[in-house]
Amino acid sequence: MNTRTNVYGQNMEKETIEKAKKRKIDEDGNGDKAREESVTFAGFKVKAVINENARQKYLFLHCRKNDEDAVVLLEKTPFDSSMTDQILSDNTKIRETLQNDIYHTYTAFLPENLNGVKATVICPASEKHIKKYTEQESFVIQETAELYTKVTLPYLEKHSFSTQWVYNILEKKKEADRIVFENSDPDTGFILLPDMKWDGKDLNSLYLQAIVHKHGLKSVRDLNKSHLPLLNNILEEGADVIDQEYGIPKSKLRIYIHYQPSYYHLHVHFNHINLESPGFDADRAHLLVDVIENIEMNDSYYQDKTLVYRVREQDELYKLYQDEGYFVDFPINTSLSSNSSFTAAS
Amino acid sequence: MNTRTNVYGQNMEKETIEKAKKRKIDEDGNGDKAREESVTFAGFKVKAVINENARQKYLFLHCRKNDEDAVVLLEKTPFDSSMTDQILSDNTKIRETLQNDIYHTYTAFLPENLNGVKATVICPASEKHIKKYTEQESFVIQETAELYTKVTLPYLEKHSFSTQWVYNILEKKKEADRIVFENSDPDTGFILLPDMKWDGKDLNSLYLQAIVHKHGLKSVRDLNKSHLPLLNNILEEGADVIDQEYGIPKSKLRIYIHYQPSYYHLHVHFNHINLESPGFDADRAHLLVDVIENIEMNDSYYQDKTLVYRVREQDELYKLYQDEGYFVDFPINTSLSSNSSFTAAS
């Protein structure tokens, strides 16, 4: 938890951020204006587009500069809604592209100070950097109970991922000042604290995590009726505390468990409904009310159930399922064209 | 289905689009250069920010111009990845904002032709237009079996939403040329065709719908063991056809049912895993493999189960649940501040 994630999913160590901030202040302070002046990307040659997203408006490039590799991350910036008067001022030129009755479309050219693009350059970049920002192929795994026992569980046991940092939180050796609520019962208790991704202020992006005190619960796969008191405590006390503390009622909360989780010590996510989060996809998020009701209906629901999730090609689980021959049943068929001439009927 | 949806969720009738295109062509053709020249938003006064999104980079404004209401929709445009050489050319100026070791961040100022913003103006705008583009508040409903019978089902029965356009497709009176596959069995058959949101070309955003031949299945709430042959046909034949037709294997597909659906005749969504779609949120999308397995486990699973979904304040279902007193249990508590001083412990 000593890292934070920026928009590119890049983990920056706290120390690094502090250093960077300090350096920025030094620069601003010592009037080294040369750095502030405009320069260009002269010398950068584009080798490949490694990722792009039209919805989020970003573009990642692999470049070469002076025989070195570089990664250039470009992202359009959000509009500053406190600057609407400037956005619609005479300094913004508009060119009509279409007009129909009351509807007009334009291309607008904002003044430079409102129209900057965020650029991040990593240079020299290692192969690891390039890989990190290159779009990874994704695959769906339908993990049956049998596949869990045969592939996933041995992987978890072999690696026995360290959750020491979680124990440090639970034992209040770390981040004790960030705890919002605790139920200290060793079997049915938990600690509630803000997720590192949340700034702790903007209620529309509220994000907290409940981490259970009990050790050894790796994921939903391990849950049965004996854990219902724990799960109900998290659901009820968690939601109540968020209502009291932040004024956000239950009807505005998404409360869910990830499978696969990002770490293998049971924890529950609390989000404001307005937070747009890819972690709320139906092939990863399991609503806590569903988990509770499914277990009430069937004690071994999460041991028996096929669980669907997404893996990326660099995930070790993907490689293990590939070695197992899992994807052989789903070969990519490249022999047919992609046009719609096929109209089979049964 | 005679409408298409643009990025703002706005339905444009085909005819309107055609007219607009024609008009655009006329203008381009007759050399009416006055229209092409730069103008400004002079005369627009901002009354309110009605919607904004930092992730997707858009900003919607309610304005006044000459005593008339106007809606101004601004959206940053995606990068054109075919123009990377121009993006990194000398015409792009960059200003360093931070530097640390191999990491540099800049604000980049792209040349005007690469840095336009899309602007749509509706003027004069009616109250309905303003409402349409104003962010709506969302709420979570936990629909128990009891609430379904008491509130949701009477609403569906009272309105008996017309699904004539669906019957037109199933009877091949409309869109017959768009059918990709048909299993014509009246009980266990379905028609597979591209969703209107898909351009039919870009495989990364592949989107098809399977519409069942059987009438009277409003949603997952109506499904039981008797429908397993139908559901299994859709899962197996649908995935097989998409593999054969488009070369996209099962391990790249998301196959799911919406609850609440957008129309009350059972249909199944097929998406490429790379498509970013808000319709895949865990409080709306029910994976078809889960639906099948849950029913196999318990014949009345979808009649008994609490189903969680999101409603918006202008949805009639929201109003009905509000009238029912559903949200009274979850009052918004405004008596406590939003800072983190509260550290209750049990």
Side-chain angles (χ1 to χ4, degrees), chain B residues 108-222:
Chain B
F109 303 96
L110 303 186
E112 193 177 273
N113 66 314
L114 297 176
N115 214 17
V117 164
K118 190 179 171 194
T120 304
V121 174
I122 304 170
C123 185
S126 67
E127 196 149 333
K128 219 173 150 185
H129 286 118
I130 297 164
K131 229 175 182 175
K132 181 171 178 174
Y133 294 104
T134 300
E135 189 174 24
Q136 285 186 53
E137 219 183 322
S138 293
F139 302 87
V140 176
I141 286 181
Q142 296 184 12
E143 183 189 271
T144 59
E146 197 193 343
L147 282 167
Y148 176 72
T149 312
K150 198 171 170 189
V151 184
T152 309
L153 185 58
Y155 156 75
L156 298 180
E157 282 169 346
K158 186 179 152 201
H159 287 270
S160 63
F161 299 100
S162 171
T163 42
Q164 188 53 52
W165 66 268
V166 180
Y167 303 151
N168 288 342
I169 291 176
L170 294 173
E171 292 159 21
K172 309 206 182 63
K173 291 178 186 162
K174 294 274 180 192
E175 306 189 44
D177 56 328
R178 303 180 68 244
I179 294 172
V180 174
F181 175 82
E182 176 176 19
N183 173 333
S184 57
D185 188 288
D187 279 319
T188 63
F190 64 96
I191 271 179
L192 184 74
L193 78 175
D195 187 281
M196 295 301 272
K197 285 188 282 297
W198 185 37
D199 67 5
K201 287 174 198 161
D202 174 27
L203 294 181
N204 281 308
S205 53
L206 177 134
Y207 199 148
L208 292 103
Q209 274 192 32
I211 304 177
V212 305
H213 271 303
K214 194 176 174 68
H215 290 201
L217 294 174
K218 295 184 291 301
S219 73
V220 283
R221 278 284 185 209
D222 290 336

Side-chain angles (χ1 to χ4, degrees), chain B residues 34-138:
Chain B
R35 275 203 181 281
E36 295 288 319
E37 271 168 31
S38 288
V39 285
T40 70
F41 285 110
F44 284 79
K45 290 237 177 292
V46 178
K47 282 197 66 182
V49 173
I50 56 179
N51 205 344
E52 60 181 313
N53 188 307
R55 193 174 156 93
Q56 294 178 50
K57 283 94 183 172
Y58 64 70
L59 177 70
F60 296 173
L61 303 171
H62 172 198
C63 298
R64 293 282 290 176
K65 189 194 177 187
N66 304 335
D67 292 328
E68 286 181 330
D69 281 305
V71 172
V72 177
L73 315 172
L74 299 165
E75 189 185 17
K76 295 279 173 95
T77 52
F79 289 96
D80 181 346
S81 59
S82 69
M83 306 283 268
T84 52
D85 285 339
Q86 277 203 47
I87 292 170
L88 298 196
S89 76
D90 288 354
N91 295 324
T92 295
K93 304 293 173 200
I94 58 178
R95 192 185 299 144
E96 191 176 274
T97 49
L98 201 135
Q99 192 266 325
N100 182 348
D101 191 33
I102 59 169
Y103 300 94
H104 307 249
T105 68
Y106 304 90
T107 303
F109 303 96
L110 303 186
E112 193 177 273
N113 66 314
L114 297 176
N115 214 17
V117 164
K118 190 179 171 194
T120 304
V121 174
I122 304 170
C123 185
S126 67
E127 196 149 333
K128 219 173 150 185
H129 286 118
I130 297 164
K131 229 175 182 175
K132 181 171 178 174
Y133 294 104
T134 300
E135 189 174 24
Q136 285 186 53
E137 219 183 322
S138 293

